[in-house]
Amino acid sequence: MDDAPLPDPQAATTVTDGDVRAGATPGGPDRKSPWRWVPTLYFAEGLPYMAVMVLAVILYKRFGMSNTDIALYTSWFYLPWVIKPFWSPVVDVLKTKRWWTVAMQVLIGGGLAGVAFTLPTPAWVQGSVAFFWLLAFSSATHDIAADGFYMLALDEHDQAWYVGIRSTFYRAAVIAVSGLVPMLAGTLESSTGLGAVDVEVSAVPTASGTTMAAVEALSLADTDRTSAAGAERGDLRLTAAVAALDIPLALRPTAEVDTLIATARRANQAAGFYPVEDDGGADAGGPSWWARTVSGPLGRALTELFGERAAAESDVAGNVGVVPFRLSGPPPPGEAVAVNLGLDSGDQSLHLVEGGQRFTFTEANWDRPFLAVVQADAKLRQPTAATFRATSGNIPLAWSITFFVLAGVFLALMAWHAFALPRPASDVPDVAGSGGARGILQYLGFLVVFTPVLLVLLVPMMIAGLLAPRTTGPWGRMFRALPFSGSPFAETIVSFFEKPEIGIAVAFVLFYRFAEAQLVKLAAPFLLDSVEAGGLALTTGEVGFVYGTIGALSLTVGGVLGGIVAARDGLGRWLWPMVLAINIPNAVYLFLATVRPESFVVINAAIAVEQFGYGFGFAAFLLVLIWISEGEHKTAHYAIGTGLMALGMMIPGMFSGWLEDIVGYRTFFVWVLLATLPSFLVTARIQIDPTFGKKKEDET
């Protein structure tokens, strides 16, 4: 999924608020060749955004974080882009755009290095989240400064000439970070592992196999050390007790099967191979108010109604087999060996029922066996086979190196820009237009009051936009009544909410991508998750290839085609085809979750269809956003629109992981299709000029 911030529609012009023409100030623009800095500047603009929004999701999934936490944490990273329009005036009046650009690049490079430093530590969650927040804030501020600098440093002709160049190199950053960087991390994961261990599991006729082992027969004996004391990580070996396991095709009493599975799970948890889930009991201080009153009851109800993983009760169940995995010696002090276990190939009727997707050997439990339990489907009648693979790459080290590489690349870009960026005479703080220090203080005072009022009024504003008669509404008058609303900066915000039918416009911006906002957080985890968890079990490198090459190219083609047809025929003719294009192809994920194709070609083709539709349909959203921003203060109003867009992505994304963890991927993708309905509703409500976007013939 690509969710890059929208381009500034004024970047190809020289008209800014107040009709002050960039480059028209005394001295004119700096005439250093834009080829020296435009490509690298916009590559640097795209890199941190994609690191925060895409790499963070893949990284946390590879570290074993739940989908609930992934979606919640990474959705909060949208917040700096939500509030970016409100602090952008401060960037205008303090220092120069060049200073802000270079300073933010220093912070971004430091943030990337900070993520790299924290990943191998026990506090990797807290540390990485903190540094990703720094990256998000710095990246949002860098967007403001870089786009403003582009308009100041180039004259009208060069702005138009290089707008395609900047878009191309921004897209290059998208491809590099969403494709090449995960492929690098995947390669490092593989090269730092202990070697893959395959176990061939076969379902065989009863007469040719042994019966299910009794619970007491589970091997819990200590592992003999076969690696020398104090061995390096590379000298350790991961082994399975058997290379091939036969499971007789026989039904067993459900109670007997459940008892064996529970015994294996308790043994694994007691050894500390993965944490015991917190039940919110007395020792944990009890569940929170939110868990008691909202998420807990709602989650239980959704699980009962729609959960995929709740098996129907029966007196008999499919037979099972147990495979113990062992480590040859203790990991080096302070290190751990994380193992990912899942179906590699073969019949999905043989599946893991205990073993999770990830377990960890440490100094404390290396001498204990990890018990993986494989179960044959109760409906299975014919012999079949499947291969399960355990891989043990050093994931923290691999991703730490990856982020160090990113930090090095970005700091090199910063050093180049400190030398290569021109110094246009027009790049000066706009103190006069702000009312000086008094104007800034008034604006800050306005924001203190405006922000909570906006949060309270946003929901009724959307409801009125969806259901009420077409009217501007009282929103602008209410904001106009706030203290300091007449200050220069506050005026641009208040005037946005005084636009005709602004409630409908706000509802459109927030709901057009309602389904996409949820899907984008779970797409990569779905591809990475094991087959047993409902995913496709792709490697990190394969996910990078899917989204960084095939997906990115399809997205680009769809976006270019959308722009071409809208410019030729006007948005009115293509609005509904575009809203269909951005929503209906989401069905490919339901197809993938249902069919579970093993063919990598089929998976790439499905993602290509979805990404092409997203690119084509996103063109309509961009044009409507530009249409909403028309009039005085169009640049500032466009920035407010992008902030609302980020809010529309942030809120749905926050609960998407929790919902998927409850109902499973297949039912979640059904919900995503239902969640496209608000997009159609707001499209039906909004009214724009049918010829908007169409090239007009010059009048004599």
Side-chain angles (χ1 to χ4, degrees), residues 298-528:
L298 180 59
R300 288 189 292 271
L302 291 173
T303 301
E304 183 176 348
L305 290 172
F306 305 111
E308 298 172 11
R309 300 170 186 139
E313 292 186 5
S314 175
D315 293 335
V316 293
N319 206 352
V320 297
V322 181
V323 181
F325 287 87
R326 299 176 183 272
L327 195 64
S328 61
E335 294 188 21
V337 176
V339 180
N340 290 280
L341 175 64
L343 180 68
D344 182 61
S345 61
D347 194 341
Q348 298 179 16
S349 298
L350 299 170
H351 52 276
L352 280 168
V353 289
E354 168 56 24
Q357 305 161 54
R358 176 185 171 91
F359 56 93
T360 304
F361 287 102
T362 65
E363 294 176 89
N365 67 8
W366 73 270
D367 58 344
R368 309 299 292 167
F370 178 84
L371 303 177
V373 183
V374 181
Q375 185 173 30
D377 193 291
K379 298 178 182 179
L380 192 61
R381 297 291 183 267
Q382 300 297 324
T384 188
T387 300
F388 291 84
R389 172 166 291 184
T391 56
S392 53
N394 191 338
I395 294 175
L397 176 62
W399 281 92
S400 179
I401 294 174
T402 299
F403 269 85
F404 272 126
V405 171
L406 278 178
V409 170
F410 207 88
L411 290 174
L413 288 171
M414 179 275 300
W416 168 249
H417 291 145
F419 164 76
L421 289 182
R423 300 178 184 272
S426 55
D427 185 16
V428 293
D430 186 19
V431 179
S434 67
R438 180 180 180 185
I440 296 176
L441 291 176
Q442 288 178 340
Y443 176 63
L444 295 176
F446 169 78
L447 288 181
V448 169
V449 181
F450 167 79
T451 303
V453 173
L454 176 63
L455 293 177
V456 171
L457 294 181
L458 203 55
V459 172
M461 190 185 305
M462 289 188 300
I463 295 174
L466 292 172
L467 305 176
R470 296 184 177 279
T471 177
T472 299
W475 320 112
R477 295 192 300 273
M478 297 174 72
F479 292 129
R480 181 70 67 184
L482 297 178
F484 309 118
S485 60
S487 60
F489 293 142
E491 172 64 27
T492 62
I493 297 175
V494 173
S495 61
F496 177 83
F497 293 98
E498 293 177 329
K499 288 177 175 289
E501 300 184 3
I502 189 61
I504 299 176
V506 169
F508 182 91
V509 174
L510 291 174
F511 281 119
Y512 185 78
R513 303 170 68 194
F514 182 66
E516 185 70 25
Q518 299 171 70
L519 183 63
V520 72
K521 291 300 178 187
L522 275 302
F526 166 66
L527 297 180
L528 288 166

Side-chain angles (χ1 to χ4, degrees), residues 540-552:
T540 307
E542 288 173 334
V543 171
F545 180 83
V546 168
Y547 279 120
T549 55
I550 302 300

